[in-house]
Amino acid sequence: MPVDDTTVAAQDHRAFEAGLDALEAPTLPPRPGPGAVCLRSVLPPIVAVVAFIALWQLACSTDLKPSYALPSPLDVFRTFDQTVRDGRAWDAISISVSRGALGFLASLAVGTVLGLAMWRSRWLRAAIGPFVSGLQSLPSVAWVPAAIIWFGLSDAAIYAVVLLGAVPSVANGLLAGFDQVPPLLDKVGRVLGLGTVGRIRHVLLPAALPGYLAGLKQGWAFSWRSLMAAELITYSPALGIGLGQQLNIGRELNAMDLVIASIFLILVVGVAIELLIFAPLERRVLRTRGLTRRSVS
Amino acid sequence: MAHPALQPALQRQATPAPSVRVTKLAQVFERDRPPVLDRIDFDVAPGEFVCLLGASGCGKSTLLSLIAGLGTPTSGSIEVTVGRPALMFQEPALLPWLTAAGNVELALKARGVGRRERRVEAERLLTLVNLTGQGRKRVHELSGGMRQRVALARALAQDSRLLLMDEPFAALDAITRDALHEELIRLWSEQGLSVVFVTHNVREAVRLGQRVLLMSSRPGRIVREWQVEMTQPRAIESPGVSALATEITQHLRAEISRHAR
Ligand SMILES: Nc1ncnc2c1ncn2[C@@H]1O[C@H](COP(=O)(O)OP(=O)(O)O)[C@@H](O)[C@H]1O
Ligand SMILES: [Mg+2]
């Protein structure tokens, strides 16, 4: 009976193939539970912070430096607490973060357009590529004097410094993303019959996303640094008191407790934005592509 | 005997138009070297399974890309009568940010299939390659054989009568390859596809093809062809396949030896 034969053969084949699939499909290690995460990545930094504060306290108790130069952890905490209570800390954070966000978004727009232009035009890329990469390694604080001469002690000067700091990272990230797209994937798009727009949208952009995102992350870090450098130097009552300016006030008053509290805030805000916005985005993009450490089989 | 004048008309009726007709095709990349492809002439009949066999670097991939419309030949012509061909590569070439079903659906979307239909159709195609219910998996969660089957489902989603395959199973282990041979032959006979299957594996060519074309290298020409009379399904280790593979291997080796100095 030929019909029965082929049915049996088909069933055989299905079972055989399903068996192969079960044996060969990569097995991903299970995602660690909250307890394990806590033990592995939350506990160690806490231990480090406690140890650091203990050392600091020890240095204070042994009078390593006079107390105006090295305030104790408790003094710094009191100052910090005061700036939080009287609202200075929140004002400074909101001024700096809104400047940082605006500067970053502007850098994002300019850097993306610049990156696209350099990707489309081989000539443009050859002409300005080396300078864009070079700018990335120039500390953006070097632009502050020039910006002040051009724009005076104004927001424009601050934004100019932020843009000069962050635009190269965004542009280079986008270029790196495009360069990493395997040519085979573009071929697939053509075989499937996608037009130029379809290929850009469905193949090129998603394929370039990890590189682009890495560029954005670096762009944010550079924005934040440039912003602090700019705020620290362009001090003027008209500009409001951002975190950098608060730091500068601490220096002028010789108030080391305020200086340390400000540094602490700058660090915390920078890290928080990275952890709350960029890290989850990046994790998601990498995980869907099987590029996280966990999913390497 | 029919009147001689009627003969061509009768013949045209008897043999339907081929799915692909390649005529006097040549491809030159570098002027000072022999052409990569030279005077290539062959047809593929509707529903025919043709294997293209040749040493590495003889121009197989170049020929297949030209048929797929990914380049223009230096001279000669390629007529594909069945619309845009589907093409599978040695690598699955799946888009890693999409799920298995998402990859299949992209091919449907490129054809203008509506969203709701896409989902149903993708599931049907995945079932066809024995991946029922695996559509939500990401590419990195699939084995090599499963990935290549998703690529096959994606190629089928193009709904082309012509499937071009460029060493699609070369990177798989022998057991998985065996399973995929079976899969492919089943799909080919069920769906009535024309297939051009490129390989450098003689046994694979004989296992799968109704006709095996042997190519020479530099210049790449079709130097010989064999009809495979055995019926499908046939096992790659069957005596019939072995015997013909031995014969073809001798010709392939002779062809390669010509290039020794
Ligand atoms: N775009 C190209 N430019 C120059 N040479 C090429 C190009 N594509 C293929 N070739 C050459 O053509 C020859 C045949 O390549 P290919 O078609 O990939 O062979 P096969 O698939 O049979 O291994 C090789 O020698 C390769 O170097
Ligand atoms: Mg090849």
Side-chain angles (χ1 to χ4, degrees):
Chain A
M1 288 234 203
V3 177
D4 280 351
D5 275 1
T6 48
T7 325
V8 168
Q11 275 167 358
D12 268 8
H13 177 251
R14 236 171 300 163
F16 170 47
E17 209 159 54
L20 274 180
D21 291 349
L23 288 174
E24 286 182 356
T27 46
L28 308 181
R31 229 192 264 198
V37 168
C38 200
L39 214 73
R40 214 170 47 194
S41 46
V42 178
L43 201 60
I46 291 179
V47 171
V49 167
V50 169
F52 174 75
I53 291 176
L55 274 178
W56 178 4
Q57 182 60 52
L58 190 73
C60 292
S61 327
T62 54
D63 285 332
L64 206 62
K65 286 258 181 188
S67 67
Y68 74 86
L70 185 62
S72 74
L74 198 61
D75 289 340
V76 171
F77 179 76
R78 281 207 192 100
T79 308
F80 175 69
D81 190 45
Q82 187 134 41
T83 60
V84 171
R85 274 166 203 269
D86 62 18
R88 274 182 294 160
W90 300 119
D91 288 350
I93 289 177
S94 88
I95 286 178
S96 288
V97 167
S98 57
R99 267 187 198 140
L102 202 63
F104 173 70
L105 289 178
S107 308
L108 180 77
V110 176
T112 302
V113 170
L114 183 67
L116 276 173
M118 283 167 72
W119 177 65
R120 291 303 307 222
S121 158
R122 197 175 289 247
W123 188 89
L124 186 68
R125 185 169 182 179
I128 68 173
F131 301 105
V132 172
S133 298
L135 271 185
Q136 240 178 320
S137 51
L138 179 75
S140 47
V141 66
W143 291 110
V144 177
I148 292 178
I149 291 173
W150 287 333
F151 301 107
L153 291 176
S154 66
D155 272 331
I158 294 180
Y159 286 123
V161 175
V162 171
L163 255 79
L164 283 162
V167 165
S169 299
V170 175
N172 270 339
L174 186 61
L175 276 177
F178 281 141
D179 288 347
Q180 284 159 8
V181 179
L184 184 62
L185 292 190
D186 189 57
K187 246 190 198 174
V188 167
R190 281 170 34 190
V191 168
L192 295 185
L194 292 169
T196 310
V197 176
R199 289 207 305 280
I200 290 180
R201 189 165 150 235
H202 294 296
V203 180
L204 199 63
L205 288 181
L209 195 58
Y212 184 46
L213 211 57
L216 294 192
K217 206 170 100 170
Q218 197 187 47
W220 163 254
F222 280 27
S223 289
W224 189 240
R225 277 184 218 181
S226 313
L227 178 65
M228 289 307 115
E231 283 189 348
L232 194 57
I233 299 177
T234 55
Y235 176 70
S236 143
L239 285 176
I241 298 176
L243 288 168
Q245 279 116 352
Q246 183 181 298
L247 183 57
N248 194 42
I249 293 173
R251 182 185 67 84
E252 283 180 346
L253 299 178
N254 240 338
M256 190 60 177
D257 45 353
L258 185 58
V259 167
I260 296 180
S262 304
I263 292 177
F264 174 71
L265 260 187
I266 293 172
L267 188 72
V268 166
V269 171
V271 170
I273 288 181
E274 148 104 44
L275 284 185
L276 294 180
I277 297 178
F278 290 98
L281 257 180
E282 193 175 37
R283 230 184 352 253
R284 210 179 123 186
V285 165
L286 294 185
R287 191 183 299 144
T288 56
R289 287 161 172 75
L291 296 173
T292 46
R293 229 183 311 160
R294 192 180 72 84
S295 54
V296 171
S297 51
Chain B
M1 279 289 283
H3 191 275
L6 291 176
Q7 203 79 342
L10 276 178
Q11 266 176 6
R12 220 175 295 140
Q13 255 185 355
T15 50
S19 301
V20 201
R21 165 161 287 166
V22 178
T23 320
K24 295 206 188 72
L25 184 75
Q27 180 65 282
V28 180
F29 288 120
E30 297 140 279
R31 291 253 171 80
D32 47 345
R33 299 196 64 186
V36 168
L37 297 175
D38 187 32
R39 282 184 263 158
I40 303 270
D41 278 288
F42 71 96
D43 290 357
V44 179
E48 191 184 17
F49 199 127
V50 174
C51 286
L52 202 59
L53 184 70
S56 211
C58 73
K60 306 183 293 292
S61 296
T62 305
L63 177 53
L64 224 52
S65 308
L66 289 174
I67 298 175
L70 294 179
T72 40
T74 312
S75 66
S77 74
I78 297 168
E79 293 165 64
V80 178
T81 60
V82 290
R84 182 192 303 282
L87 173 60
M88 259 180 86
F89 305 92
Q90 178 171 338
E91 301 83 37
L94 299 175
L95 308 182
W97 54 91
L98 297 177
T99 58
N103 272 279
V104 178
E105 283 180 35
L106 183 60
L108 296 168
K109 189 180 170 120
R111 260 176 53 209
V113 178
R115 180 188 292 267
R116 192 170 294 239
E117 271 175 86
R118 283 206 294 269
R119 193 163 315 149
V120 178
E121 181 65 2
E123 185 56 40
R124 186 186 72 82
L125 290 163
L126 286 173
T127 301
L128 220 50
V129 296
N130 205 3
L131 285 172
T132 313
Q134 314 258 33
R136 295 185 56 162
K137 288 209 170 133
R138 299 272 170 185
V139 175
H140 65 274
E141 296 172 298
L142 304 173
S143 71
M146 293 162 92
R147 285 176 206 185
Q148 205 53 290
R149 269 145 60 207
V150 175
L152 181 57
R154 181 174 65 185
L156 294 175
Q158 289 187 252
D159 199 27
S160 173
R161 311 307 303 149
L162 174 61
L163 178 57
L164 308 172
M165 306 179 88
D166 192 356
E167 309 197 26
F169 309 143
L172 302 175
D173 66 86
I175 299 173
T176 306
R177 197 183 308 147
D178 232 25
L180 278 154
H181 285 161
E182 218 172 313
E183 193 92 67
L184 176 61
I185 288 300
R186 185 175 57 76
L187 286 168
W188 162 70
S189 53
E190 280 174 12
Q191 318 257 319
L193 302 170
S194 307
V195 179
V196 181
F197 188 103
V198 160
T199 178
H200 58 241
N201 180 332
V202 183
R203 277 167 183 267
E204 181 172 58
V206 178
R207 157 74 178 87
L208 295 172
Q210 295 175 302
R211 195 147 58 100
V212 177
L213 309 181
L214 177 64
M215 275 180 77
S216 62
S217 307
R218 295 245 170 218
R221 289 186 185 144
I222 293 176
V223 287
R224 222 185 147 95
E225 71 171 78
W226 287 265
Q227 294 285 337
V228 184
E229 307 291 356
M230 291 164 277
T231 54
Q232 290 285 12
R234 50 181 179 255
I236 198 162
E237 60 276 359
S238 67
V241 170
S242 292
L244 184 53
T246 308
E247 181 192 331
I248 296 178
T249 302
Q250 277 167 0
H251 284 89
L252 176 63
R253 292 178 65 120
E255 190 49 54
I256 293 170
S257 306
R258 273 196 323 110
H259 291 270
R261 307 184 215 208

